[in-house]
Every structure is written in C-alpha cells, then in structure tokens.
Amino acid sequence: QVQPVESGGGSVQPGGSLRLSCVTSGNSFSVYNMGWYRQAPGKERESVAIITSGGTTNYADSVKGRFTISRDNAKKTVYLQMNNLAPEDTAVYYCNAKYTRSYWGQGTQVTVSS
C-alpha cells in the first residue's frame, strides 16, 4: 500500500514559483504512475500533470510551459515545479499514485494572490 504525503504549498504573488513535493510510503514506488491534481473552490478536481513509471509526462494545457513534473524513485518522491503562477492556479493540489489501485494524499493549498 502507498500513502502519498504532499508538502510545499503556500501563498505566492502572481508570477512567483513554488515546488510541491509528494513523498510516498510503501514499496515499489517505481512502478506507480504518479500525478498531480488540483481542485479549486466550486470546481471539480482536474488533472494537472502526470508522470508514468517510465518517465513519460503529460500536462494540462493550462499549465504547459509553466509547470514541470519529475520523480526521484530512490527518494520515493514526485515533484511539481510551478513557475509563473497565476491567480487561476489557486487550488488544493493533490498527489496521486496509481498502479493496480489509486491512492490520494490529503492535499496542499496553493494560493496565488497579490
């Protein structure tokens, strides 16, 4: 079983940067497809970025060119580097680990405001 734990959220001004981290417990991290999702108030949860076990990445159109997902299998950690943040990026960001089952973290708040 895998338990993701997110960190790195906070408040930042428009144009700023944050790096989210998600460390997982359990074994076999390298076989999991890892993803970052977000949910803004009053909206459905949406996919932000995915990185497969093989390292292939996929991004939502709204974050392409600004966000970068990466993983460190030795540290059982996935990262989301977020640059040029905008107010519309404000949301709770969730980490997901998926193999035969899907596991979610508790989320970390990101607020972009001047």
Side-chain angles (χ1 to χ4, degrees):
Q1 186 168 345
V2 173
Q3 179 58 58
V5 178
E6 305 96 336
S7 62
S11 296
V12 64
Q13 291 186 342
S17 297
L18 285 173
R19 189 176 83 153
L20 305 183
S21 298
C22 171
V23 62
T24 63
S25 62
N27 298 318
S28 303
F29 172 81
S30 62
V31 305
Y32 282 82
N33 294 331
M34 301 297 298
W36 287 97
Y37 294 73
R38 68 186 180 187
Q39 188 167 17
K43 295 187 177 182
E44 294 186 354
R45 191 174 298 188
E46 63 176 356
S47 175
V48 175
I50 303 291
I51 184 165
T52 69
S53 59
T56 300
T57 59
N58 186 270
Y59 297 92
D61 287 342
S62 59
V63 307
K64 283 181 180 177
R66 301 188 298 124
F67 291 10
T68 303
I69 189 171
S70 61
R71 64 191 296 161
D72 185 332
N73 289 340
K75 295 182 178 179
K76 300 180 183 180
T77 301
V78 63
Y79 304 97
L80 185 67
Q81 177 67 44
M82 305 186 294
N83 298 328
N84 194 22
L85 283 159
E88 51 265 36
D89 295 316
T90 295
V92 178
Y93 283 71
Y94 296 91
C95 178
N96 176 264
K98 185 175 182 180
Y99 183 46
T100 56
R101 291 182 58 184
S102 182
Y103 300 91
W104 292 93
Q106 294 297 313
T108 185
Q109 176 71 46
V110 172
T111 302
V112 185
S113 174
S114 55

